[in-house]
Amino acid sequence: MDGIPSVTVLISGRGSNLINLFNRARGYRIGAVVSNKRDAAGVAWARERAIPVTIVEREEYPSLSAFKDGVRDAVSATQPDLVALAGFMVVLPPTFIAAFQGRLVNIHPSLLPKFPGLDTHQRVIASGETQHGCTVHYVDAGVDTGAIIAQASLAVAPNDNPESLAERTLALEHELYPWVIGHLAGSEISLCNARVQYSSRVRQEAKERGFRLSNVSE
Ligand code: GRF
């Protein structure tokens, strides 16, 4: 990576993670935003800050696969060092994942591998879980299945409901994601033979902040 690493953020909605990544950017910059929804709140926010925005909508393409190729081409055109999915509601095809292997990450509102997919907070309550949280992971061809980079967790309280859990989990997301992206940008976290590698500084900071890493014994 030459200069300050540029992150392209992919969104479909309100964009609170995008805004938070921007506000807390240390060691990286938000170079571009790609959205599959032109009326996403995050799009208006990015435009107000003169962050380049590309809209790629399904309706503009004759097929789903052509649309997904369009997303890949739009992201490639932004020449990112890193690609961060932040509430992007499109499952990306293998060609996209191959193009950004080791540089493509997602944030998910559960402690993966538990509760991949949608409605995580509701499902956590229904299952009587006592722990919940969020995960930043590399993206692979599955849905929320890539190598786990880091997790932040909270205790589910007896009076929690899906809304309260969503709010508390989002606050954790806003702590975890910029921390991970900053260390990916600084090459202190990397992917080697499908295994996540961490610098000793990252391990130390994770311990201090209460974040869980993969393959690291406590
Ligand atoms: C977040 O909960 C994120 O974990 C999930 O989608 C939501 C996006 O929220 N992937 P926002 O658009 O960043 O506010």
Side-chain angles (χ1 to χ4, degrees), residues 3 11-12 22 25 32 37 49 55 76 93 98 123 134 139 154 161 176 209 212-213:
I11 64 167
S12 298
F22 178 88
K37 301 279 177 199
R49 272 143 199 91
I55 307 293
S76 292
R123 287 155 61 209
C134 59
V139 176
L154 53 77
N161 55 43
L176 187 66
R209 291 168 185 245
R212 197 161 70 210
L213 306 177

Side-chain angles (χ1 to χ4, degrees), residues 23-120:
N23 288 337
R24 297 194 183 195
R26 300 276 180 282
Y28 66 87
R29 66 188 178 88
I30 304 301
V33 170
V34 174
S35 174
N36 65 320
K37 301 279 177 199
R38 75 179 55 243
D39 57 357
V43 165
W45 177 89
R47 287 202 167 121
E48 278 166 22
R49 272 143 199 91
I51 300 170
V53 176
T54 313
I55 307 293
V56 187
E57 287 184 314
R58 170 68 185 89
E59 302 76 57
E60 296 163 13
Y61 293 85
S63 67
L64 185 59
S65 77
F67 160 64
K68 291 185 177 186
D69 286 347
V71 174
R72 184 198 56 214
D73 294 346
V75 174
S76 292
T78 66
Q79 299 190 301
D81 294 300
L82 294 169
V83 180
L85 308 185
F88 189 60
M89 302 301 285
V90 176
V91 177
L92 296 167
T95 55
F96 187 107
I97 289 149
F100 299 103
Q101 178 82 41
R103 299 187 289 142
L104 173 61
V105 294
N106 180 43
I107 186 148
H108 179 76
S110 81
L111 295 173
L112 291 171
K114 286 187 171 178
F115 306 104
L118 299 175
D119 302 323
T120 57

